[in-house]
Every structure is written in structure tokens, then in C-alpha cells.
Amino acid sequence: MRKAKTLLAVYLAYMLEYRAELFLWALAGLLPLILLGVWTEAARGGGFPLSSGEFARYFLMVFLVRQATVVWVVWEFERDVVEGRLSFRLLRPLDPFLDHLAAHVAERLARLPFVVLLTLLFFYLFPEARFTPEPGPFLLGLLLTLLAFLLRYTMQYTTAMLTFWTERATSVEEVFFLLYLFLSGTIAPLEVFPEPLRELALLTPFPYLVYLPAALLAGQRVDLFPGLWIMLLWGVAFLLLARLLFWLGLKRYSGQGA
Amino acid sequence: MAGASPIVLAEDLTRHYRVARKEETLLGTLRHFFRRQYHTIRAVEGVSFRIHPGEVVGFLGPNGAGKTTTLKMLTGLVHPTRGRALVAGHVPQRREKAFLKKITLVMGNKQQLIWDLPAMDSFRLNAAIYEVPEGEFRKRVLELSEMLGILDKLHQPVRKLSLGERMKAELLAALLHRPEVLFLDEPTLGLDVNAQVAVREFIREYNRRYGATVLLTSHYMADIAALCPRVLVIHQGRLLYDGALEGLLDRFAPYREVGLTLKRPLPREAFLPFGEVRELEGRELRLLVPRERLTERVAEILKRLPVEDLEVRDPPLEEVIARVFKSPMEAL
């Protein structure tokens, strides 16, 4: 417990050194709010499964879910390997998986004020997005956001393990990001996908990273099952794969650059 | 000492790397893209030694000799291709928590401190990770920072510290968990003479106070001469010598150095019959004379040259080492 507390406190201090950058990063996550403008406008014409107010709420929640699930571990890990800093992490009796996770959680706390500020601004600009959520689905949505963060972190950590082989694992992540962008519901809610594509997307891990938690938070009617099981299954699969790759990677590791 | 069980054991320790080879021409680049060719680098080849608890051992070798790879195998960062290591009763590459808590690795060219925060934050982090209790943590920071003379620097951001202060803070961070075995890779790299001496004295004092075992690599012979009664010499991945520092001189430097001050300057040719001229400046010179002919040559010098002062000493350690590393493996 003391370990976790100190890790968070020190990493929070570290993140706060980069306040300006954090603000810019939060701003860089504004894509959903731009899309919101597009979709609400389109919805005014009718013919969509969601009303323009529902679109506004959905994209606001997409913005919040994405802010809560930002992950950059693959870039960090790649730099660690290339610059030889991984050696220091490996010498400590703390798994790098948990070390990086703590830094991510601390960053989340440091980012919070900016996100609140941007949300207030958003409510001011889009009054139709204001709503009082039902506590049950909203709490469930928060829980799913936490799970989404853990899933995204585990997925990217798995990609990061490829650094042991390629030293350019970030390129692989960029390919993943394309899939993420389309299948996660960041660009459009899954309701507007053609049926076969929607069913296919729901078998991949991506919709659980954004769509499912955002839709729950926005108060949309969504089926929790079997989605939650698929999400957990992917989580466990990536976790096991990450452990396997870490183990294999260490055998190859030459501690270069250090 | 010889009967006690070793705290560091290396047996036939070997590490090979497979490295892609590319020719520098455009054709070479294309070929490299489609079909890579690899060759094997034998970074460390069959190295064996034992270090007993409390020993301070110097690890010598030119760049690329295999020193750092050996240290990485002993700290569990790199898996050996062949052979085995045992450090403080653990197989290093298993990276068991109990093992990691018993060792530390300091690399002079790398830092673990968080750059933008005061060193104290990094210490606090390490104390939590290594599960050092709060009271003990405060005591150790105070004690070590006093020994290192950086008590007033702990609350400044690391980036504002001088290189010497940073290295001292690195040492403190690396020793907070009071490891039994210290692997120090060039801990005085780039430091000015004062800081070098301070770090050296600290290592000596730390070893004396806590009985820690130290394996140290350094390019500065002064570090080795001051700290290490025993040295390991590694060259092209193979262990060349394991023994006392003086023995190294006997084995690789069958010469003594004769320092002369003359009454008047003489041309270089005048000294050739007596030995190899290492340095000649005005009336001062240094001659290398084979050990077994020393008495006879000194007598000749005194008889034939206008000597004002004469001194016989061991050649500088740097020269001996340079001589060892310049020779091909077979000649040694």
C-alpha cells in the first residue's frame, strides 16, 4: 500500500512538472467534440438511430472516456529499450508493468482539472448535451471506463513487448490505432454502423475501449452482455500474451545502450 | 577467506550476440533489406572467477572487452549463452525479488534519478519499491548524504546538480536498500579529480562500514590502484588475469622504470644502450629497463652518464595495461 501511495505521489509530482504539456494533450483529445458538431448537425435532418441531443451526449462521453483511458506505454517502453533505461527498471524489485501503470494513473489525476474545465466549456457551447444521468448505468459506465483503461493499457503493453524484437513497436501501435479509431466508436457510435460490420466490430476488443463505456455513461440503451465477457476475455488474453512476450524478450535482451 | 563460499561465482560464463551485418553501399543496403546476414559476436567467452564476501575487485579491460556484458549477466539483465552465475546465492537471470534487493548496479554513463524532480523524490520512490521502512529510510539518507557530502543538495531538481553531485546522488539512490553486492560500472566517468577522489573514498568507506562486496570497472587506474587489492583483466571476452594488482605488473611488465636527472642534456642516441627511452625533456628522462638486467644497467648508467639523480620505480599502471591490451591474445 505504501509502495502504491509513494509511486503515485512521486509520479504525480513528476507529471505536474509538465502541466503545460498536459493541457495541450488534453486539448489534442478534442476530436470527439469536433465530430460532435458534425453528427449533431447531420442528425437534425433525421434518419439516424440517435437524436441530435443523444449524439451530443455520446460524443461528450467519448471525450471523457478517451481522456480517462489515454495510454502511451509503448512510446515509453521503446525509449527505455533504445536508450538502455530498461536496465534500471529491471534491476528494481517492481515489475515494469506496474511501474508504468502507476505513472499512467498519476497522470490521470494531474489531467483531471483540465478535463473538468474543458467539459464545462463544452456544456456552455452545447446546451443540448446537458443531462442528469441515472445513477445505476452511470456508475456501471464508470466501472467500465476503468476496465477500458486497463484493457487499453494491457493491449498497448503487449505491443510494447515487441520492442525486444523490432525496436520500432510504435509503428505496430500506429496500425492498431487506425483500427481503434474506426472500430472503437470514436468517429461514430456503433448504432450507425451497418449491421454485419457492427457485429464483427463487437467481437474485437476495440468497441469496449470507447463505445460501451461512453454509451452507458450517456444513458443509451446498450446490452451489457455478452460484451463484458468479450472484453474480459480479450483482457486476459492480452495479459497472458504480454507476460509470455516479456519472458521471451528478456532472454533476447542485450541491455544495449547501457 | 579461500574456504568461505563465494558471494559472486562465474563459471564458464559466455555470451554471444547475433548482429546483422550491412555493407555501406546502396547495393549493400538493398541486400540488407531483403536478406539479412548475421554474424556472431563473442562478447564474453568462458569467463570463470569467484569473489568472496567483502572483497573489492577491479575489473579491467579496454572498451568492448566484455566487462559490461559480464556485469549485466551477474545482475541478471542479460542471460548467458552458456555457463552459469551465482550471486548472493541466486541465479541472476531469474530476477527474484530477494536477489534484486541484495544487489545494485551503478552505471556512470546512465542515470536512474528522475531528471526534473529533486533527488529526494527518487530516493523516496526507491525506498518504497525496496520496502525500506520510513524511519530506516530517513536514517540511511542522512548517513549516506553525510558520507557523500551532498546533504544540502537533496531538495534541488536533479537537472540543477553538477555532474559530480549527480553521481553522488546516483550512488545514494543505488545504495538505499543497503545491497550486499555492488556492481559499479565506471562510477567516476567524466568527473573532475576532486569528485573522483570523493567517490573513491566513499566506496572505500562503504565497503569498510558495511562489509559490502564490490566489483568495479574504471578507466581511471587511480580508482583501481586505490581501491582494489585484486583485479580481473578481461580482453576480447576472455579472462586474462585474476590476482593481486602487483602481480599484474610482474606478469605484464617485466620492466622497471629508471628516472634520471643529468648534469647536462644529451642526445637521445646516448641512452639507447641502456634501455627504451620513454620520455626525454632537457636533462630529465625516463628509461624502461628489463627487470633481470636492472642492476647491471644501473651500474653502467652511473659509470658512463653524468647523473645528478637516479630513481628506480614501477612503470605507470596505465602503460602496463595499454601494453597488455595492444598485444594480440596469443602473445599473452
Side-chain angles (χ1 to χ4, degrees):
Chain A
M1 205 51 219
R2 175 181 159 227
K3 205 185 273 194
K5 229 173 83 185
T6 312
L7 272 171
L8 284 182
V10 172
Y11 283 136
L12 183 63
Y14 174 69
M15 294 299 168
L16 288 176
E17 286 291 311
Y18 296 98
R19 304 177 278 280
E21 285 86 342
L22 276 181
F23 179 65
L24 290 176
W25 283 337
L27 268 186
L30 281 179
L31 172 76
L33 304 191
I34 298 166
L35 288 168
L36 174 149
V38 178
W39 280 105
T40 45
E41 207 46 51
R44 278 188 229 286
F48 283 106
L50 299 180
S51 71
S52 92
E54 281 170 331
F55 267 120
R57 283 209 292 275
Y58 174 75
F59 279 108
L60 169 67
M61 292 308 159
V62 169
F63 166 71
L64 289 176
V65 168
R66 279 175 44 108
Q67 291 291 329
T69 58
V70 173
V71 171
W72 63 89
V73 67
V74 68
W75 282 271
E76 197 83 357
F77 201 91
E78 186 179 283
R79 231 178 57 187
D80 275 359
V81 170
V82 172
E83 292 176 9
R85 280 186 314 174
L86 181 65
S87 297
F88 278 126
R89 289 197 200 267
L90 293 176
L91 284 169
R92 293 171 168 178
L94 175 69
D95 196 305
F97 182 90
L98 296 176
D99 197 2
H100 286 293
L101 186 64
H104 278 69
V105 173
E107 191 267 359
R108 224 46 26 117
L109 299 176
R111 179 190 283 252
L112 199 62
F114 303 121
V115 174
V116 170
L117 211 70
L118 287 170
T119 309
L120 290 176
L121 179 73
F122 174 86
F123 277 138
Y124 173 73
L125 291 176
F126 296 95
E128 67 259 51
R130 292 181 204 165
F131 75 112
T132 319
E134 281 176 54
F138 194 77
L139 279 177
L140 202 60
L142 286 181
L143 180 71
L144 251 82
T145 307
L146 176 69
L147 286 180
F149 163 62
L150 291 175
L151 175 60
R152 181 141 163 74
Y153 179 81
T154 311
M155 283 170 74
Q156 207 182 80
Y157 195 82
T158 309
T159 315
M161 293 304 104
L162 300 178
T163 311
F164 286 117
W165 287 267
T166 77
E167 287 181 15
R168 284 290 170 270
T170 46
S171 317
V172 179
E173 179 59 25
E174 272 152 31
V175 174
F176 267 127
F177 185 71
L178 263 183
L179 290 172
Y180 166 85
L181 212 54
F182 285 107
L183 298 177
S184 71
T186 301
I187 293 198
L190 260 64
E191 278 87 354
V192 302
F193 280 28
E195 191 53 31
L197 182 63
R198 203 171 81 91
E199 273 173 21
L200 196 69
L202 282 168
L203 292 176
T204 71
F206 301 105
Y208 309 102
L209 299 175
V210 177
Y211 167 74
L212 191 62
L216 270 170
L217 288 171
Q220 277 166 233
R221 295 202 163 278
V222 277
D223 296 329
L224 199 53
F225 297 101
L228 189 61
W229 295 126
I230 298 177
M231 183 181 192
L232 291 175
L233 209 64
W234 277 112
V236 172
F238 275 108
L239 193 62
L240 291 176
L241 187 60
R243 298 324 285 172
L244 176 71
L245 291 176
F246 184 61
W247 181 72
L248 290 173
L250 284 184
K251 283 188 156 188
R252 282 179 55 96
Y253 183 56
S254 60
Q256 68 268 43
Chain B
M1 196 79 138
S5 60
I7 193 157
V8 178
L9 172 80
E11 268 180 4
D12 191 29
L13 212 52
T14 300
R15 173 70 193 208
H16 297 169
Y17 292 115
R18 220 162 67 102
V19 177
R21 194 208 309 257
K22 185 186 96 62
E23 288 162 37
E24 62 273 27
T25 57
L26 179 63
L27 192 68
T29 305
L30 286 174
R31 208 177 285 151
H32 183 73
F33 185 79
F34 290 108
R35 201 175 50 179
R36 289 198 177 194
Q37 287 198 323
Y38 291 92
H39 67 127
T40 302
I41 291 183
R42 297 169 193 280
V44 176
E45 190 67 55
V47 165
S48 304
F49 56 84
R50 286 154 185 263
I51 298 175
H52 292 280
E55 269 195 284
V56 182
V57 177
F59 204 14
L60 298 176
N63 290 335
K67 298 187 299 279
T68 304
T69 304
T70 305
L71 289 191
K72 282 177 187 163
M73 285 193 276
L74 294 176
T75 49
L77 290 174
V78 165
H79 291 225
T81 309
R82 198 182 67 225
R84 73 174 187 126
L86 206 61
V87 176
H90 299 265
V91 176
Q93 69 265 29
R94 288 194 195 142
R95 299 180 54 251
E96 291 150 328
K97 269 193 179 177
F99 166 70
L100 295 174
K101 284 184 178 182
K102 286 183 194 166
I103 63 146
T104 199
L105 171 66
V106 175
M107 293 183 269
N109 58 347
K110 283 276 167 302
Q111 63 160 30
Q112 63 156 321
L113 298 173
I114 301 172
W115 187 249
D116 292 306
L117 295 181
M120 198 62 183
D121 280 326
S122 293
F123 300 159
R124 195 170 290 285
L125 192 67
N126 274 15
I129 291 173
Y130 285 96
E131 293 161 339
V132 180
E134 183 66 27
E136 189 62 24
F137 163 67
R138 287 180 186 286
K139 207 181 97 195
R140 288 184 194 176
V141 168
L142 190 69
E143 190 174 333
L144 290 171
S145 54
E146 267 174 359
M147 277 167 84
L148 287 158
I150 51 163
L151 199 53
D152 54 336
K153 307 284 179 194
L154 304 183
H155 297 282
Q156 288 175 21
V158 171
R159 61 166 188 270
K160 302 272 187 211
L161 300 180
S162 72
L163 191 62
E165 290 162 353
R166 218 152 63 210
M167 192 61 227
K168 290 174 184 175
E170 282 287 334
L171 277 168
L172 205 164
L175 298 175
L176 259 185
H177 59 288
R178 200 156 287 171
E180 293 169 31
V181 190
L182 278 53
F183 297 98
L184 308 178
D185 195 10
E186 302 280 354
T188 53
L189 193 73
L191 303 188
D192 65 35
V193 179
N194 287 338
Q196 267 181 43
V197 171
V199 167
R200 200 181 292 153
E201 284 312 312
F202 170 77
I203 295 168
R204 190 206 306 280
E205 178 60 18
Y206 188 89
N207 162 261
R208 196 190 58 77
R209 222 183 259 197
Y210 305 112
T213 310
V214 181
L215 182 57
L216 164 90
T217 81
S218 178
H219 269 91
Y220 301 109
M221 281 307 149
D223 288 346
I224 304 287
L227 290 171
C228 313
R230 174 182 166 199
V231 293
L232 301 170
V233 179
I234 190 168
H235 186 32
Q236 296 174 2
R238 289 174 192 274
L239 196 66
L240 217 60
Y241 178 81
D242 176 357
L245 189 60
E246 301 84 56
L248 184 70
L249 291 176
D250 290 340
R251 171 144 167 216
F252 295 108
Y255 294 94
R256 302 299 302 272
E257 191 178 272
V258 178
L260 286 172
T261 309
L262 302 171
K263 288 180 180 140
R264 58 190 155 80
L266 287 174
R268 182 175 282 261
E269 295 74 44
F271 309 106
L272 294 182
F274 308 107
E276 190 186 324
V277 182
R278 297 296 296 170
E279 211 180 311
L280 173 63
E281 224 183 296
R283 297 188 300 126
E284 309 269 331
L285 82 147
R286 293 199 293 128
L287 275 177
L288 281 187
V289 177
R291 247 165 223 268
E292 69 278 10
R293 319 200 63 167
L294 183 69
T295 332
E296 160 198 335
R297 291 278 169 91
V298 168
E300 296 244 315
I301 290 170
L302 288 171
K303 204 161 89 186
R304 298 199 186 172
L305 298 176
V307 178
E308 191 177 283
D309 191 25
L310 182 146
E311 191 190 2
V312 177
R313 55 195 171 225
D314 277 323
L317 202 49
E318 271 87 354
E319 274 185 32
V320 178
I321 299 294
R323 202 174 271 263
V324 173
F325 296 145
K326 251 189 263 164
S327 328
M329 254 336 256
E330 310 78 59
L332 294 166

